[in-house]
Amino acid sequence: MPSRRELANAIRFLSADAVEAAKSGHPGMPMGMADIAEVLWNDVLKHNPANPHWANRDRFVVSNGHGSMLLYSLLHLAGYDLPIDELKRFRQLHSKTPGHPEAFHTPGVETTTGPLGQGLANAVGMALAEKVLARRFNRPGQAVVDHHTYVFLGDGCLMEGISHEACSLAGTMKLGKLIAFWDDNGISIDGEVHGWFTDDTPARFEAYGWQVIRRVDGHDPEEIAQAIRTAQAETDRPTLICCRTTIGYGAPTKAGKEACHGAPLGKDEIAGARAALKWPHAPFDIPQDIYAGWRARDLAAAEAQWNAMFQAYAQANPELAAEFERRMRGELPADFVAAADAYIAKLQAEGPTVASRKASQMALEAFGPLLPELIGGSADLAGSNLTIWKGSKDVNAEDPDANYVYYGVREFGMSAMANGLALHGGFLPYDATFLVFSDYARNALRMSALIPTRTIHVFTHDSIGLGEDGPTHQPVEHLASLRYIPNNHVWRPCDAVESAVSWKAAITRTDGPSCLIFSRQNLQHQQRTAEQVADIARGGYVLTDPPEARFDLILIASGSEVELAMQAARALEAEGTKVRVVSMPCSNVFDAQPIEWREGVLPGWCRKRIAIEAGVSDFWLKYVGLDGAVIGIDSFGASAPADQLFKHYGFTVEKILAAAKGL
């Protein structure tokens, strides 16, 4: 039987050889954390390579994602569907071993990591999901949800501010099944970190309410194993295991130095490491006894035992079991779409004039009781975002139906945790803040779309219309910026009906996130036929046409500016100009429609077009062309009542009429 060091060396040399073959990558972290990974994966981690999606598996996250070859080596050695040829193709086009781990691309990868600290925040979300699900579904003697979340992280993760946001909240929430391993090697890309990172990290985490296990030798398997046992014994606090390691362990001249952080070791250095660690095997050559050592544990047994328990659980609790399985599959209740459509039709008939943030809350009141998987939260703005509904229950309470997270002022951590909640499974998360503060969460929003995660990001106070708080709180460029994120659906509804449709669209979407953008001020209800109500889901549709088939001008608007477009259309028609008004609640969805639909809404023969939106104007040029006009705002706002601001910045009927005459 191979020794632990030999098993760990398999990680080291698969990683170093793959980086060398790719001529790029990060060999230092995998070589430094190999001993920790070996103990965790061979002795502790509950998983099944034959079923990477087993619901009750432990989650393993590599937050320091530049060390991706450590994860790929682990997956290969443990028997996942990741053959050696894929490791040889590290960082190459269409391989299953990209430069940083990507969820849904490589079997066994739980989340996409690379932007430092976000994997850690994702892990906090996963641990929260486990805790809330366990409270809902577990019964005495039948713990169908009972697993840990383990995360590897480095100095860089801890320097990023998101680590404070997420870890502070993790301590408050008492996420006892979250265990983090800090790769305390004292090295980053620029060199020894003592020049820029001198925090008392253990004391910092103790202040958060974590259990901290200090001064663990990250190359001593017995110390590592004991630390893990101590961590698992603590049920009320997350644990940080502080592992002193040597980056690039085994490299004769580069170990412990930044030279091995982000560049291949070089053939001579790898040869020296082979000699130093007594690893005589050729690149990518793993002896059968090493494979046997890595696959000695019956990993399928844990799932088999769980399956037997779940079968008994299902017999005793058939409705609970069916609900758990449905939620873990990510399927909506069978009656949701019909109920949502009925609510939308009711809204259209009643025609309420409310702020779209209020309409959003009304949609939550209608949809929330239908969706036990819905879990919400806000960054200390619940009363302004209106994201609490009558069924909202604080996750810090002991209620088994808890479904609301008070994130505090932690926009970045909030959205990254929401990604983790979604990735864990069993939940459909939504989070919320003011639109202008989407900047704080920006990279987590990008990761939502890139991974992708099924998350809903709610943003209120969507323009200069929020008024007196002034330009620091008035989003200008934010709508365009969010729309430019690939695979991100941005909805800005014009009234209560479009608001409900946007919620339905976000809830039913399974291949990525949605951003729902809502107003502070009241929005006028718009008249529609049943066909037009159905057309809202296409992202852009004709709201009104002149009685004659032919029109002279198209007005395009979103959100609060749709009402202004309708007013301008009536004024223009009174002067003899025939106007079509197009509501564009989601340009991303509209752009994905067949050409026949897009041409039907915005026919090429009509070149006289004006777009109206209280945001930067450049975005709309793709719809109006160089011969059209855009009424937008290309400066920062000001502090004043909303009605004064709209007039001051030219969002008036008069301005639209003047623009129309200039075409």
Side-chain angles (χ1 to χ4, degrees):
M1 183 71 180
S3 67
R4 284 195 177 277
R5 177 56 49 83
E6 289 173 313
L7 295 175
N9 285 343
I11 299 173
R12 291 189 170 98
F13 289 101
L14 282 175
S15 299
D17 291 336
V19 171
E20 192 68 26
K23 297 182 174 57
S24 73
H26 299 258
M29 179 280 232
M31 297 178 77
M33 297 195 79
D35 296 302
I36 307 168
E38 189 276 325
V39 173
L40 178 63
W41 275 61
N42 279 329
D43 290 10
V44 178
L45 196 72
K46 183 170 62 179
H47 65 118
N48 185 5
N51 182 15
H53 305 294
W54 171 35
N56 200 45
R57 69 191 182 279
D58 290 333
R59 272 60 171 179
F60 176 70
V61 175
V62 178
S63 187
N64 43 352
H66 54 271
S68 58
M69 267 310 306
L70 174 135
L71 180 53
Y72 300 146
S73 299
L74 288 166
L75 294 170
H76 170 74
L77 292 166
Y80 283 78
D81 183 17
L82 193 66
I84 195 71
D85 285 346
E86 291 293 340
L87 273 62
K88 294 177 181 178
R89 298 176 63 228
F90 178 53
R91 290 185 163 224
Q92 305 309 300
L93 187 63
H94 304 311
S95 77
K96 290 185 178 181
T97 50
H100 292 80
E102 297 181 23
F104 309 112
H105 186 77
T106 309
V109 174
E110 298 286 359
T111 182
T112 302
T113 57
L116 293 178
Q118 281 201 68
L120 173 57
N122 294 164
V124 174
M126 293 174 186
L128 176 60
E130 192 275 345
K131 182 174 183 176
V132 178
L133 276 177
R135 190 186 297 153
R136 173 71 180 94
F137 288 101
N138 288 355
R139 293 296 181 269
Q142 296 177 318
V144 296
V145 182
D146 182 14
H147 54 266
H148 286 80
T149 300
Y150 300 97
V151 55
F152 279 15
L153 57 97
D155 296 319
C157 294
L158 295 177
M159 284 185 254
E160 291 285 0
I162 191 174
S163 70
H164 167 73
E165 295 184 26
C167 294
S168 168
L169 194 55
T172 299
M173 290 178 167
K174 303 182 184 300
L175 301 180
K177 290 184 176 176
L178 173 64
I179 299 174
F181 298 81
W182 170 30
D183 184 25
D184 181 16
N185 60 33
I187 296 293
S188 67
I189 289 178
D190 280 351
E192 297 180 5
V193 301
H194 60 72
W196 50 87
F197 185 52
T198 58
D199 305 12
D200 187 344
T201 296
R204 170 187 163 192
F205 275 75
E206 287 170 343
Y208 292 154
W210 287 52
Q211 173 184 226
V212 176
I213 303 173
R214 301 172 181 243
R215 295 180 292 278
V216 174
D217 183 345
H219 303 297
D220 185 329
E222 290 304 315
E223 285 196 29
I224 298 163
Q226 180 56 50
I228 295 172
R229 288 192 291 269
T230 303
Q232 291 179 323
E234 174 58 62
T235 58
D236 288 333
R237 295 179 294 168
T239 297
L240 178 70
I241 302 175
C242 305
C243 301
R244 287 293 302 170
T245 64
T246 300
I247 191 171
Y249 183 90
T253 68
K254 296 183 178 182
K257 301 176 181 178
E258 66 270 20
C260 68
H261 190 295
L265 294 179
K267 291 182 180 180
D268 291 343
E269 190 75 6
I270 294 178
R274 278 184 157 83
L277 296 175
K278 298 180 174 59
W279 185 264
H281 315 292
F284 302 106
D285 180 15
I286 303 296
Q288 286 305 309
D289 65 326
I290 299 291
Y291 278 124
W294 271 97
R295 300 172 187 181
R297 201 159 49 109
D298 185 1
L299 296 174
E303 183 178 0
Q305 292 170 3
W306 184 87
N307 287 336
M309 180 192 59
F310 190 82
Q311 187 175 7
Y313 175 88
Q315 290 176 348
N317 309 279
E319 291 183 0
L320 272 178
E323 179 73 1
F324 177 78
E325 290 181 310
R326 179 191 69 78
R327 287 174 60 167
M328 294 306 294
R329 289 194 302 268
E331 296 176 0
L332 294 173
D335 58 349
F336 173 75
V337 170
D341 288 342
Y343 173 71
I344 292 165
K346 181 174 178 287
L347 274 183
Q348 185 61 48
E350 294 176 349
T353 292
V354 295
S356 55
R357 63 170 175 163
K358 179 62 180 177
S360 168
Q361 187 179 49
M362 291 160 57
L364 281 170
E365 294 286 0
F367 299 161
L370 307 173
L371 298 168
E373 59 265 52
L374 203 62
I375 185 167
S378 175
D380 203 45
L381 287 170
S384 294
N385 298 144
L386 301 185
T387 47
I388 288 180
W389 58 286
K390 291 177 183 177
S392 295
K393 298 177 180 180
D394 185 0
V395 297
N396 284 327
E398 295 301 313
D399 195 305
D401 296 319
N403 61 359
Y404 197 85
V405 184
Y406 290 91
Y407 285 102
V409 188
R410 296 181 175 95
E411 293 89 355
F412 193 4
M414 171 184 70
S415 293
M417 283 178 61
N419 289 339
L421 282 161
L423 286 163
H424 179 279
F427 288 105
L428 176 56
Y430 68 91
D431 56 27
T433 185
F434 288 175
L435 178 57
V436 75
F437 300 134
S438 65
D439 283 342
Y440 283 130
R442 170 71 189 212
N443 201 256
L445 305 179
R446 182 177 187 269
M447 293 301 289
S448 284
L450 192 157
I451 292 170
T453 65
R454 192 181 179 189
T455 50
I456 302 171
H457 306 290
V458 176
F459 300 110
T460 68
H461 298 61
D462 67 344
S463 72
I464 57 173
L466 74 87
E468 291 85 347
D469 279 341
T472 62
H473 284 53
Q474 292 167 358
V476 174
E477 75 278 21
H478 300 71
L479 281 165
S481 176
L482 293 174
R483 287 167 177 151
Y484 284 136
I485 298 175
N487 195 40
N488 189 39
H489 289 182
V490 181
W491 290 86
R492 187 176 184 240
C494 76
D495 65 1
V497 175
E498 285 193 359
S499 297
V501 172
S502 70
W503 265 107
K504 177 195 169 187
I507 290 166
T508 55
R509 189 183 185 204
T510 60
D511 58 352
S514 300
C515 295
L516 309 185
I517 317 296
F518 300 119
S519 72
R520 181 191 185 194
Q521 72 274 23
N522 286 346
L523 304 183
Q524 185 69 42
H525 172 73
Q526 300 299 325
Q527 294 299 318
R528 302 175 185 86
T529 65
E531 183 180 6
Q532 285 176 304
V533 172
D535 290 343
I536 297 171
R538 290 180 174 268
Y541 65 102
V542 177
L543 184 60
T544 186
D545 263 340
E548 303 86 352
R550 199 78 171 177
F551 44 87
D552 307 309
L553 172 70
I554 302 175
L555 300 181
I556 314 166
S558 80
S560 54
E561 288 69 68
V562 170
E563 180 181 343
L564 176 60
M566 291 293 288
Q567 293 171 357
R570 289 190 286 271
L572 285 162
E573 287 166 358
E575 296 181 354
T577 301
K578 299 178 179 65
V579 181
R580 165 175 282 190
V581 176
V582 171
S583 178
M584 189 79 74
C586 186
S587 63
N588 315 98
V589 171
F590 176 79
D591 290 347
Q593 298 301 308
I595 182 64
E596 294 80 10
W597 179 263
R598 289 178 281 136
E599 179 66 18
V601 174
L602 298 174
W605 58 260
C606 184
R607 304 305 302 163
K608 291 185 176 182
R609 305 178 183 186
I610 302 173
I612 312 156
E613 186 176 71
V616 291
S617 60
D618 280 5
F619 172 82
W620 291 98
L621 293 177
K622 67 176 181 176
Y623 297 114
V624 303
L626 297 178
D627 48 351
V630 181
I631 295 174
I633 176 169
D634 293 309
S635 66
F636 296 113
S639 177
D643 58 344
Q644 296 180 24
L645 289 170
F646 279 118
K647 183 177 180 180
H648 175 75
Y649 287 101
F651 293 93
T652 63
V653 171
E654 291 74 22
K655 181 71 175 289
I656 297 171
L657 266 61
K661 291 174 182 176
L663 295 178

